[in-house]
Amino acid sequence: MNKSDRPSSIFHLPSSICVYDYENKLYINLTNRCSNACTFCIRSKQDGLNGHTLWLQREPTASEVIAALEKRNYKSSPEIVFCGYGEPACRAAEIVEIGGFLKRNGVPTRLNTNGQGNLINGRDITSELAAAVDTVSISLNNSTAERYQAVCRSRFGLAAYQGVLDFTRLCVPKFKRTVMTVVSLIGETEIEECRKICEGIGAEFRVRGYDSYT
Ligand code: SF4
């Protein structure tokens, strides 16, 4: 989302945060950049979650995130999730550094992503990510490139959808768990089409509630 797309009120909000809690887990907010501009994106509706402002005044360094995690008793979180308020794969190097720190400290991790990380970075980053993160959860959203682009409005155009599928195929043999998600709102027929695509790739399939953030 571009600055010009954001609600004007965000420019008057107090401090933003790079580590936040949601449903008893800690989440890491690395960036507000994203290759998509989804019609349903929570960022166009609210400025954050649980009273946390998630629009970043600047992107945090990996060291700043680790320091914030240490202040939040991170070892008690059952899982720590790279998620929002933008696409985490825009900051692949920081995911690797922070994920490596969490792995060394025995904390399970997950990356929630739009699956365009290889397109964004212009190379295959799946091995690096899988070495640092346990689970990858990829938003499939729809069963065709046209439907996907109509809803997700990727800057990569129709090529984005194939990029998501290719990214997932590369993740399956490398991550402990590779999950693809859709939201229940797309309807039973579309859900079943997506299920077939997901199963063909070998990833786990999950249907999320429409109001589910993660
Ligand atoms: S991929 Fe996620 S962060 Fe990016 S626009 Fe879509 S919902 Fe928002």
Side-chain angles (χ1 to χ4, degrees), residues 87-109:
E87 170 49 47
C90 291
R91 304 206 61 209
E94 285 74 14
I95 295 173
V96 170
E97 187 171 343
I98 299 161
F101 166 81
L102 293 170
K103 189 176 275 283
R104 288 192 296 279
N105 284 281
V107 182
T109 49

Side-chain angles (χ1 to χ4, degrees), residues 3-211:
K3 248 183 175 180
S4 57
D5 298 326
R6 301 178 195 168
S8 58
S9 61
I10 63 163
F11 298 109
H12 307 293
L13 289 168
S15 62
S16 55
I17 56 171
C18 59
V19 174
Y20 60 105
D21 59 281
Y22 181 73
E23 294 183 346
N24 300 320
K25 291 182 181 175
L26 289 180
Y27 284 70
I28 296 171
N29 175 25
L30 284 175
T31 184
N32 297 144
R33 289 179 283 151
C34 187
S35 51
N36 280 353
C38 300
T39 54
F40 55 82
C41 185
I42 188 174
R43 302 177 308 162
S44 61
K45 300 177 181 71
Q46 56 196 67
D47 297 327
L49 283 171
N50 283 355
H52 305 310
T53 300
L54 297 177
W55 288 111
L56 296 162
Q57 289 160 354
R58 66 172 172 80
E59 292 185 338
T61 64
S63 300
E64 286 171 333
V65 172
I66 289 169
L69 287 166
E70 285 175 327
K71 280 187 193 154
R72 298 294 301 269
N73 190 24
Y74 70 94
K75 288 185 183 175
S76 65
S77 183
E79 182 182 45
I80 295 181
V81 188
F82 296 91
C83 177
Y85 218 48
E87 170 49 47
C90 291
R91 304 206 61 209
E94 285 74 14
I95 295 173
V96 170
E97 187 171 343
I98 299 161
F101 166 81
L102 293 170
K103 189 176 275 283
R104 288 192 296 279
N105 284 281
V107 182
T109 49
R110 169 165 39 111
L111 166 63
N112 283 4
T113 176
N114 66 15
Q116 295 174 29
N118 287 354
L119 293 174
I120 292 166
N121 289 278
R123 63 188 181 87
D124 179 9
I125 60 170
T126 56
S127 295
E128 294 158 45
L129 295 177
V133 177
D134 297 309
T135 299
V136 60
S137 179
I138 300 154
S139 301
L140 177 59
N141 289 325
N142 290 96
S143 69
T144 69
E146 290 74 16
R147 283 191 195 131
Y148 180 91
Q149 184 59 9
V151 172
C152 296
R153 303 184 294 187
S154 171
R155 69 179 162 90
F156 299 107
L158 287 175
Y161 190 71
Q162 190 59 48
V164 172
L165 301 185
D166 293 344
F167 180 87
T168 308
R169 258 188 215 96
L170 290 165
C171 287
V172 167
K174 297 174 186 167
F175 281 82
K176 285 185 188 160
R177 287 183 67 199
T178 301
V179 182
M180 295 194 103
T181 68
V182 298
V183 291
S184 56
L185 194 72
I186 61 175
E188 275 307 311
T189 306
E190 183 70 349
I191 287 173
E192 286 314 306
E193 289 303 312
C194 289
R195 186 191 304 278
K196 284 182 210 157
I197 291 167
C198 177
E199 288 175 355
I201 292 174
E204 295 175 38
F205 186 64
R206 185 163 82 89
V207 181
R208 302 159 49 206
Y210 177 61
D211 56 353

